[in-house]
Amino acid sequence: MKENDKLLYKTLKSLLNEKLSDAEVASLREEGFEVKSPTRKTAIMIALYKKAAAGELSAIKELRSIVSEKEEEKQQKAKAVMIFDDIGD
């Protein structure tokens, strides 16, 4: 990864992990969303959800891809390993 790409990644990650202001949290609660420790990432996901719920096809596809990525991660983590003792006594 190039140095500029690393800096952009770290900056964006930092911005997304910032906590929302009290006013932003209050706005989400007024809309019926009860969230714990809301960050900018939370607000973006809620905005994406709202667009998908309104029928925007690109938002629906994006949500499906996010959910399927998480399911794939769970399945990969859950793989079992079996060890056979093939060395005789």
Side-chain angles (χ1 to χ4, degrees):
M1 191 180 282
K2 295 180 182 177
E3 193 65 33
N4 286 342
D5 291 343
K6 287 181 184 179
L7 179 60
L8 179 62
Y9 174 80
K10 287 174 72 174
T11 303
L12 186 56
K13 190 171 181 178
S14 176
L15 285 171
L16 288 173
N17 288 324
E18 285 182 4
K19 291 193 178 254
L20 293 178
S21 69
D22 291 339
E24 291 169 314
V25 172
S27 175
L28 290 176
R29 289 197 173 125
E30 286 173 8
E31 293 180 45
F33 296 101
E34 190 62 40
V35 291
K36 297 177 182 175
S37 303
T39 62
R40 300 217 177 278
K41 189 186 314 183
T42 307
I44 289 170
M45 292 305 296
I46 289 173
L48 181 61
Y49 165 78
K50 287 170 29 179
K51 285 186 174 205
E56 188 173 314
L57 187 58
S58 62
I60 294 168
K61 287 180 179 179
E62 185 62 28
L63 279 178
R64 288 183 68 193
S65 72
I66 291 169
V67 171
S68 68
E69 286 173 7
K70 293 297 180 190
E71 289 300 318
E72 287 174 8
E73 287 176 15
K74 284 181 184 178
Q75 289 175 355
Q76 288 175 353
K77 288 180 183 178
K79 289 183 180 176
V81 176
M82 187 175 289
I83 301 173
F84 291 98
D85 182 8
D86 61 350
I87 303 173
D89 287 323

